[in-house]
Amino acid sequence: MASAHSIPSIEERFEFTSGAKRNLMIGGAVGVALVLVGAYLAANGGGGHEVAAHGAEAASAAHAGGEHAAAAAEGHHTAGWVKRIWANLWVNGVYFTGISVIGLFFISYNHLAQAGWSAVFKRVPEAMPAFLPFTGIVLLLTFIFGGHDLFHWTHEGLYEVGGPEYDPIIAGKQGYLNTPFFIGRLIFYFVVWYWLWKVIRNLSLQEDELGGTEFYEKSIRFGTAFLVVFGVTSSTSAWDFVMSIDTHWFSTMFGWYTLASWHVAGLAVITLTVVMLRDRGYLRAVNKSHLRDLGKFVFAFSIFWTYVWFAQFLLIYYANLPEETIYFIERFSGHDGYYKAPFFITLFLNFFFPFLVLMTRDSKFTPSILKVACWSVIIGHYMDFYTNIMPGSVGSEASFGPLEWGFFLVFICAFTWSVASQLSKANLIPRNHPMLEESLHHDIA
């Protein structure tokens, strides 16, 4: 049904003001200061949940088939606070990689579906993948310099048959889990994702200047190619970045689980950015129907993430295999029960709160409610990756204090800077998009 209201001008340029840049630099500086304070406190024994239960950890390691026994012995070679720094870099790198690449995922499946409703705000998800080089470099450098502390499978003694640390299970995975192949896959993910984004981004900018449908049709083809590539690499990257930390453990659903987590966090970022731009006088053509559909996306995929979460838990629970149940035992009762609170906080922030807040029809287009729900999802899925990564990499030496908040603040300020820079480089509304007229008149009764 066509809308009767007048359509605002589609000529809008986002201005990345000096004030906004200053605020982001201040936020980044505060984040760095928190990191330094947190590192100092951790190095001096005052900033973390220190190793106070070696017996419990050893029992957990024995239950896992001895995987962590060698890691515990070698872990003394690296200070706990250094491992926390590497682990926090990895958590944030993986999390913001997912949020960034979901921008291209959103654009691509909208292209493939030839969906018109999202055309008016497509510049927002289109800007997000520009952050991929930053997170790619962070992950690469973290693995090169700190991977030995985070990934148990990088220890050479595990593969020496007859040696004291020999692990037949991990040795059986050596064809896939070895340093050269891992680094090669990591580089491949980021190069391919970023290259496909650059192609689609350039086609969008050319379309803006020249018009016609040629660039749109090419975008559909390249978007489809990305979906095929991402259909594989979203799972393999989840195995590499997260699941391989707990090398003995495996889940056939983990690729879907990680994609669901990345996707809903990315949708929350898109929705929050659109709402905040409207608050500042931009994207005037975005109406309540656009916001309601974005709210529906966040609502629906919060439920989908919970479905995948519960399905994975249920399959492991009723199978009751030691190599699978150790994942949940570590998070419920291992490490002095430290991870039990983050585990359930994750469920609350990612399902119960957004479900209740976004349940009503009107809440899905109310800016204040959308902001609260989106921030809940963004923080909640950061906690999700924290809970997935920290137990196997840092264990009992983990904490949640200035170090963790500082790294999160640095990354979110850097990500915001990247997105804002991209938004300022083109007209905020794609003026020659073939579906723009449909998007401008998007109206849900």
Side-chain angles (χ1 to χ4, degrees):
M1 182 174 69
S3 174
H5 65 270
S6 60
I7 302 299
S9 170
I10 62 173
E11 295 297 321
E12 289 186 2
R13 299 288 299 199
F14 175 76
E15 183 184 1
F16 191 15
T17 63
S18 57
K21 293 178 181 178
R22 183 181 63 251
N23 290 338
L24 288 175
M25 291 178 70
I26 292 172
V30 170
V32 171
L34 286 172
V35 168
L36 294 175
V37 170
Y40 174 80
L41 291 174
N44 289 275
H49 171 75
E50 301 300 334
V51 186
H54 287 295
E57 186 172 354
S60 177
H63 191 69
E67 175 183 343
H68 298 295
E74 294 191 26
H76 297 294
H77 297 164
T78 303
W81 65 274
V82 175
K83 289 166 66 175
R84 274 181 64 191
I85 288 176
W86 293 130
N88 274 284
L89 283 169
W90 195 260
V91 169
N92 284 280
V94 171
Y95 181 55
F96 283 94
T97 289
I99 288 177
S100 301
V101 78
I102 288 304
L104 182 55
F105 185 52
F106 182 88
I107 290 291
S108 296
Y109 63 64
N110 274 273
H111 276 320
L112 182 61
Q114 297 189 35
W117 72 280
S118 60
V120 72
F121 62 84
K122 75 183 285 279
R123 289 283 189 248
V124 173
E126 193 177 274
M128 289 159 57
F131 197 57
L132 284 172
F134 178 82
T135 57
I137 291 171
V138 167
L139 291 182
L140 181 61
L141 294 178
T142 301
F143 181 78
I144 290 173
F145 295 105
H148 198 65
D149 295 322
L150 302 179
F151 295 89
H152 183 50
W153 57 263
T154 60
H155 296 214
E156 295 179 1
L158 300 169
Y159 308 99
E160 297 175 1
V161 179
E165 298 175 21
Y166 177 67
D167 189 317
I169 295 177
I170 297 178
K173 302 180 181 183
Q174 189 178 13
Y176 185 81
L177 289 180
N178 61 80
T179 297
F181 193 25
F182 185 93
I183 291 176
R185 291 195 304 274
L186 190 154
I187 294 172
F188 175 80
Y189 300 146
F190 284 91
V191 168
V192 173
W193 293 344
Y194 187 73
W195 175 73
L196 285 168
W197 170 72
K198 285 294 288 185
V199 171
I200 293 172
R201 170 70 167 172
N202 288 336
L203 288 170
S204 178
L205 297 179
Q206 291 178 70
E207 177 186 85
D208 228 30
E209 298 302 321
L210 303 176
T213 59
E214 176 188 359
F215 302 109
Y216 178 69
E217 290 167 356
K218 287 183 178 179
S219 295
I220 293 176
R221 291 197 292 271
F222 278 100
T224 303
F226 169 77
L227 291 175
V228 172
V229 170
F230 195 58
V232 177
T233 56
S234 61
S235 287
T236 56
S237 61
W239 304 339
D240 292 340
F241 297 162
V242 184
M243 194 166 69
S244 72
I245 290 174
D246 293 280
T247 321
H248 277 204
W249 179 76
F250 57 87
S251 166
T252 56
M253 298 186 65
F254 197 77
W256 283 106
Y257 175 87
T258 303
L259 176 59
S261 190
W262 274 349
H263 188 215
V264 70
L267 289 171
V269 168
I270 293 168
T271 304
L272 182 64
T273 305
V274 170
V275 171
M276 294 179 73
L277 285 170
R278 286 181 83 247
D279 284 351
R280 287 157 177 77
Y282 298 106
L283 293 179
R284 295 184 297 276
V286 171
N287 57 41
K288 288 184 177 180
S289 294
H290 294 108
L291 294 181
R292 183 184 290 125
D293 282 349
L294 284 169
K296 288 176 184 175
F297 261 76
V298 175
F299 179 73
F301 282 97
S302 293
I303 297 172
F304 177 72
W305 172 85
T306 311
Y307 159 73
V308 178
W309 182 97
F310 181 72
Q312 177 176 259
F313 174 83
L314 185 65
L315 287 170
I316 291 174
Y317 174 79
Y318 70 62
N320 198 27
L321 300 174
E323 64 270 22
E324 295 182 12
T325 54
I326 183 59
Y327 176 83
F328 290 102
I329 290 172
E330 272 201 321
R331 285 153 182 79
F332 285 152
S333 58
H335 309 296
D336 274 351
Y338 168 73
Y339 293 101
K340 196 169 186 177
F343 188 88
F344 286 105
I345 289 171
T346 296
L347 273 180
F348 175 78
L349 292 178
N350 293 332
F351 173 63
F352 292 105
F353 186 77
F355 179 80
L356 294 173
V357 167
L358 294 175
M359 184 182 293
T360 63
R361 183 176 184 271
D362 290 352
S363 66
K364 295 180 182 69
F365 63 77
T366 304
S368 58
I369 295 177
L370 283 175
K371 288 178 186 177
V372 171
C374 288
W375 274 116
S376 174
V377 169
I378 291 167
I379 295 173
H381 281 282
Y382 166 80
M383 294 293 295
D384 184 29
F385 280 92
Y386 177 90
T387 307
N388 280 332
I389 291 171
M390 286 292 184
S393 59
V394 181
S396 296
E397 294 168 304
S399 182
F400 207 94
L403 192 64
E404 285 67 30
W405 284 114
F407 272 116
F408 183 69
L409 187 56
V410 168
F411 271 80
I412 204 167
C413 286
F415 175 77
T416 304
W417 186 293
S418 174
V419 171
S421 297
Q422 288 297 317
L423 291 176
S424 67
K425 293 179 179 179
N427 196 61
L428 204 53
I429 297 176
R431 59 171 74 91
N432 287 321
H433 193 284
M435 300 289 187
L436 181 60
E437 193 66 23
E438 176 184 337
S439 187
L440 291 172
H441 292 88
H442 183 58
D443 192 8
I444 301 173

